PDB file of all heavy atoms in Angstrom:
ATOM      1  N   PHE A 172      12.228  14.443  -8.577  1.00  0.00           N
ATOM      2  CA  PHE A 172      10.949  13.931  -9.072  1.00  0.00           C
ATOM      3  C   PHE A 172       9.811  14.893  -8.756  1.00  0.00           C
ATOM      4  O   PHE A 172       8.916  15.092  -9.591  1.00  0.00           O
ATOM      5  CB  PHE A 172      10.643  12.553  -8.481  1.00  0.00           C
ATOM      6  CG  PHE A 172       9.373  11.971  -9.029  1.00  0.00           C
ATOM      7  CD1 PHE A 172       9.376  11.282 -10.223  1.00  0.00           C
ATOM      8  CD2 PHE A 172       8.170  12.148  -8.363  1.00  0.00           C
ATOM      9  CE1 PHE A 172       8.185  10.775 -10.760  1.00  0.00           C
ATOM     10  CE2 PHE A 172       6.981  11.653  -8.881  1.00  0.00           C
ATOM     11  CZ  PHE A 172       6.994  10.960 -10.080  1.00  0.00           C
ATOM     12  N   ILE A 173       9.818  15.493  -7.576  1.00  0.00           N
ATOM     13  CA  ILE A 173       8.768  16.468  -7.250  1.00  0.00           C
ATOM     14  C   ILE A 173       8.750  17.589  -8.282  1.00  0.00           C
ATOM     15  O   ILE A 173       7.685  17.974  -8.794  1.00  0.00           O
ATOM     16  CB  ILE A 173       8.988  17.037  -5.831  1.00  0.00           C
ATOM     17  CG1 ILE A 173       8.744  15.961  -4.768  1.00  0.00           C
ATOM     18  CG2 ILE A 173       8.070  18.235  -5.589  1.00  0.00           C
ATOM     19  CD1 ILE A 173       9.019  16.426  -3.347  1.00  0.00           C
ATOM     20  N   GLU A 174       9.921  18.114  -8.599  1.00  0.00           N
ATOM     21  CA  GLU A 174       9.997  19.199  -9.577  1.00  0.00           C
ATOM     22  C   GLU A 174       9.532  18.718 -10.956  1.00  0.00           C
ATOM     23  O   GLU A 174       8.791  19.416 -11.660  1.00  0.00           O
ATOM     24  CB  GLU A 174      11.440  19.711  -9.662  1.00  0.00           C
ATOM     25  CG  GLU A 174      12.005  20.254  -8.359  1.00  0.00           C
ATOM     26  CD  GLU A 174      11.334  21.539  -7.902  1.00  0.00           C
ATOM     27  OE1 GLU A 174      10.784  22.266  -8.769  1.00  0.00           O
ATOM     28  OE2 GLU A 174      11.356  21.826  -6.690  1.00  0.00           O
ATOM     29  N   LEU A 176       7.554  16.137 -11.754  1.00  0.00           N
ATOM     30  CA  LEU A 176       6.126  15.836 -11.805  1.00  0.00           C
ATOM     31  C   LEU A 176       5.308  17.120 -11.900  1.00  0.00           C
ATOM     32  O   LEU A 176       4.365  17.220 -12.698  1.00  0.00           O
ATOM     33  CB  LEU A 176       5.702  15.033 -10.585  1.00  0.00           C
ATOM     34  CG  LEU A 176       4.205  14.704 -10.490  1.00  0.00           C
ATOM     35  CD1 LEU A 176       3.769  13.816 -11.654  1.00  0.00           C
ATOM     36  CD2 LEU A 176       3.871  14.047  -9.159  1.00  0.00           C
ATOM     37  N   ALA A 177       5.676  18.104 -11.096  1.00  0.00           N
ATOM     38  CA  ALA A 177       4.945  19.373 -11.124  1.00  0.00           C
ATOM     39  C   ALA A 177       5.010  20.002 -12.511  1.00  0.00           C
ATOM     40  O   ALA A 177       3.996  20.488 -13.040  1.00  0.00           O
ATOM     41  CB  ALA A 177       5.506  20.319 -10.069  1.00  0.00           C
ATOM     42  N   VAL A 182       0.867  20.302 -12.180  1.00  0.00           N
ATOM     43  CA  VAL A 182       0.295  20.418 -10.846  1.00  0.00           C
ATOM     44  C   VAL A 182       1.233  21.227  -9.958  1.00  0.00           C
ATOM     45  O   VAL A 182       2.409  21.401 -10.270  1.00  0.00           O
ATOM     46  CB  VAL A 182       0.040  19.035 -10.209  1.00  0.00           C
ATOM     47  CG1 VAL A 182      -1.003  18.267 -11.004  1.00  0.00           C
ATOM     48  CG2 VAL A 182       1.332  18.234 -10.091  1.00  0.00           C
ATOM     49  N   LYS A 183       0.702  21.683  -8.853  1.00  0.00           N
ATOM     50  CA  LYS A 183       1.493  22.472  -7.927  1.00  0.00           C
ATOM     51  C   LYS A 183       2.308  21.574  -6.995  1.00  0.00           C
ATOM     52  O   LYS A 183       1.959  20.426  -6.751  1.00  0.00           O
ATOM     53  CB  LYS A 183       0.579  23.361  -7.077  1.00  0.00           C
ATOM     54  CG  LYS A 183      -0.191  24.411  -7.862  1.00  0.00           C
ATOM     55  CD  LYS A 183      -1.088  25.213  -6.922  1.00  0.00           C
ATOM     56  CE  LYS A 183      -1.872  26.276  -7.679  1.00  0.00           C
ATOM     57  NZ  LYS A 183      -2.779  27.045  -6.786  1.00  0.00           N
ATOM     58  N   LYS A 184       3.384  22.137  -6.486  1.00  0.00           N
ATOM     59  CA  LYS A 184       4.071  21.528  -5.356  1.00  0.00           C
ATOM     60  C   LYS A 184       3.323  22.002  -4.108  1.00  0.00           C
ATOM     61  O   LYS A 184       3.186  23.210  -3.891  1.00  0.00           O
ATOM     62  CB  LYS A 184       5.530  21.969  -5.308  1.00  0.00           C
ATOM     63  CG  LYS A 184       6.369  21.440  -6.469  1.00  0.00           C
ATOM     64  CD  LYS A 184       7.809  21.910  -6.382  1.00  0.00           C
ATOM     65  CE  LYS A 184       7.892  23.408  -6.661  1.00  0.00           C
ATOM     66  NZ  LYS A 184       9.301  23.907  -6.600  1.00  0.00           N
ATOM     67  N   ILE A 185       2.818  21.065  -3.332  1.00  0.00           N
ATOM     68  CA  ILE A 185       1.983  21.444  -2.191  1.00  0.00           C
ATOM     69  C   ILE A 185       2.636  21.000  -0.887  1.00  0.00           C
ATOM     70  O   ILE A 185       3.444  20.076  -0.851  1.00  0.00           O
ATOM     71  CB  ILE A 185       0.557  20.872  -2.307  1.00  0.00           C
ATOM     72  CG1 ILE A 185       0.578  19.338  -2.405  1.00  0.00           C
ATOM     73  CG2 ILE A 185      -0.160  21.482  -3.497  1.00  0.00           C
ATOM     74  CD1 ILE A 185      -0.798  18.711  -2.366  1.00  0.00           C
ATOM     75  N   ASP A 186       2.236  21.651   0.183  1.00  0.00           N
ATOM     76  CA  ASP A 186       2.848  21.398   1.480  1.00  0.00           C
ATOM     77  C   ASP A 186       2.108  20.324   2.273  1.00  0.00           C
ATOM     78  O   ASP A 186       2.710  19.623   3.077  1.00  0.00           O
ATOM     79  CB  ASP A 186       2.860  22.703   2.292  1.00  0.00           C
ATOM     80  CG  ASP A 186       3.570  22.555   3.619  1.00  0.00           C
ATOM     81  OD1 ASP A 186       4.757  22.164   3.610  1.00  0.00           O
ATOM     82  OD2 ASP A 186       2.938  22.792   4.664  1.00  0.00           O
ATOM     83  N   GLN A 193      -5.857  18.373  -2.102  1.00  0.00           N
ATOM     84  CA  GLN A 193      -5.072  17.148  -2.237  1.00  0.00           C
ATOM     85  C   GLN A 193      -4.217  17.146  -3.496  1.00  0.00           C
ATOM     86  O   GLN A 193      -3.145  16.530  -3.532  1.00  0.00           O
ATOM     87  CB  GLN A 193      -6.017  15.937  -2.265  1.00  0.00           C
ATOM     88  CG  GLN A 193      -5.312  14.597  -2.282  1.00  0.00           C
ATOM     89  CD  GLN A 193      -6.277  13.438  -2.499  1.00  0.00           C
ATOM     90  OE1 GLN A 193      -7.063  13.433  -3.446  1.00  0.00           O
ATOM     91  NE2 GLN A 193      -6.214  12.451  -1.619  1.00  0.00           N
ATOM     92  N   GLU A 194      -4.644  17.814  -4.532  1.00  0.00           N
ATOM     93  CA  GLU A 194      -3.990  17.713  -5.834  1.00  0.00           C
ATOM     94  C   GLU A 194      -2.608  18.371  -5.818  1.00  0.00           C
ATOM     95  O   GLU A 194      -2.443  19.495  -5.360  1.00  0.00           O
ATOM     96  CB  GLU A 194      -4.847  18.378  -6.908  1.00  0.00           C
ATOM     97  CG  GLU A 194      -4.327  18.177  -8.319  1.00  0.00           C
ATOM     98  CD  GLU A 194      -5.303  18.655  -9.373  1.00  0.00           C
ATOM     99  OE1 GLU A 194      -6.298  19.322  -9.020  1.00  0.00           O
ATOM    100  OE2 GLU A 194      -5.081  18.371 -10.570  1.00  0.00           O
ATOM    101  N   GLY A 195      -1.606  17.646  -6.312  1.00  0.00           N
ATOM    102  CA  GLY A 195      -0.271  18.201  -6.402  1.00  0.00           C
ATOM    103  C   GLY A 195       0.798  17.175  -6.065  1.00  0.00           C
ATOM    104  O   GLY A 195       0.536  15.987  -5.897  1.00  0.00           O
ATOM    105  N   ALA A 196       2.029  17.649  -5.958  1.00  0.00           N
ATOM    106  CA  ALA A 196       3.188  16.823  -5.615  1.00  0.00           C
ATOM    107  C   ALA A 196       3.695  17.273  -4.256  1.00  0.00           C
ATOM    108  O   ALA A 196       3.845  18.474  -4.003  1.00  0.00           O
ATOM    109  CB  ALA A 196       4.278  16.973  -6.670  1.00  0.00           C
ATOM    110  N   ALA A 197       3.991  16.305  -3.385  1.00  0.00           N
ATOM    111  CA  ALA A 197       4.318  16.666  -2.004  1.00  0.00           C
ATOM    112  C   ALA A 197       5.236  15.639  -1.363  1.00  0.00           C
ATOM    113  O   ALA A 197       5.344  14.500  -1.818  1.00  0.00           O
ATOM    114  CB  ALA A 197       3.036  16.789  -1.179  1.00  0.00           C
ATOM    115  N   VAL A 198       5.861  16.065  -0.285  1.00  0.00           N
ATOM    116  CA  VAL A 198       6.618  15.156   0.565  1.00  0.00           C
ATOM    117  C   VAL A 198       5.632  14.234   1.280  1.00  0.00           C
ATOM    118  O   VAL A 198       4.579  14.668   1.754  1.00  0.00           O
ATOM    119  CB  VAL A 198       7.460  15.937   1.590  1.00  0.00           C
ATOM    120  CG1 VAL A 198       8.145  14.999   2.567  1.00  0.00           C
ATOM    121  CG2 VAL A 198       8.473  16.815   0.876  1.00  0.00           C
ATOM    122  N   VAL A 349       7.845  10.509  -1.495  1.00  0.00           N
ATOM    123  CA  VAL A 349       7.038  11.492  -2.231  1.00  0.00           C
ATOM    124  C   VAL A 349       5.690  10.870  -2.588  1.00  0.00           C
ATOM    125  O   VAL A 349       5.598   9.677  -2.883  1.00  0.00           O
ATOM    126  CB  VAL A 349       7.757  11.932  -3.525  1.00  0.00           C
ATOM    127  CG1 VAL A 349       6.870  12.842  -4.366  1.00  0.00           C
ATOM    128  CG2 VAL A 349       9.075  12.637  -3.190  1.00  0.00           C
ATOM    129  N   LEU A 350       4.642  11.701  -2.557  1.00  0.00           N
ATOM    130  CA  LEU A 350       3.338  11.327  -3.095  1.00  0.00           C
ATOM    131  C   LEU A 350       2.888  12.383  -4.085  1.00  0.00           C
ATOM    132  O   LEU A 350       3.170  13.581  -3.905  1.00  0.00           O
ATOM    133  CB  LEU A 350       2.280  11.220  -1.993  1.00  0.00           C
ATOM    134  CG  LEU A 350       2.376  10.101  -0.959  1.00  0.00           C
ATOM    135  CD1 LEU A 350       1.111  10.077  -0.105  1.00  0.00           C
ATOM    136  CD2 LEU A 350       2.600   8.744  -1.599  1.00  0.00           C
ATOM    137  N   GLY A 351       2.187  11.925  -5.105  1.00  0.00           N
ATOM    138  CA  GLY A 351       1.563  12.846  -6.037  1.00  0.00           C
ATOM    139  C   GLY A 351       0.107  12.468  -6.219  1.00  0.00           C
ATOM    140  O   GLY A 351      -0.262  11.289  -6.163  1.00  0.00           O
ATOM    141  N   PHE A 352      -0.734  13.463  -6.407  1.00  0.00           N
ATOM    142  CA  PHE A 352      -2.144  13.255  -6.722  1.00  0.00           C
ATOM    143  C   PHE A 352      -2.460  14.085  -7.960  1.00  0.00           C
ATOM    144  O   PHE A 352      -2.418  15.327  -7.919  1.00  0.00           O
ATOM    145  CB  PHE A 352      -3.046  13.666  -5.559  1.00  0.00           C
ATOM    146  CG  PHE A 352      -2.915  12.770  -4.358  1.00  0.00           C
ATOM    147  CD1 PHE A 352      -2.024  13.076  -3.341  1.00  0.00           C
ATOM    148  CD2 PHE A 352      -3.680  11.616  -4.248  1.00  0.00           C
ATOM    149  CE1 PHE A 352      -1.893  12.254  -2.230  1.00  0.00           C
ATOM    150  CE2 PHE A 352      -3.548  10.782  -3.139  1.00  0.00           C
ATOM    151  CZ  PHE A 352      -2.658  11.103  -2.131  1.00  0.00           C
TER     152      PHE A 352
END
Side-chain angles (χ1 to χ4, degrees):
F172 183 84
I173 291 177
E174 300 292 335
L176 177 63
V182 296
K183 296 179 180 179
K184 293 180 290 181
I185 59 174
D186 184 57
Q193 185 188 53
E194 187 171 10
V198 174
V349 174
L350 292 188
F352 292 93

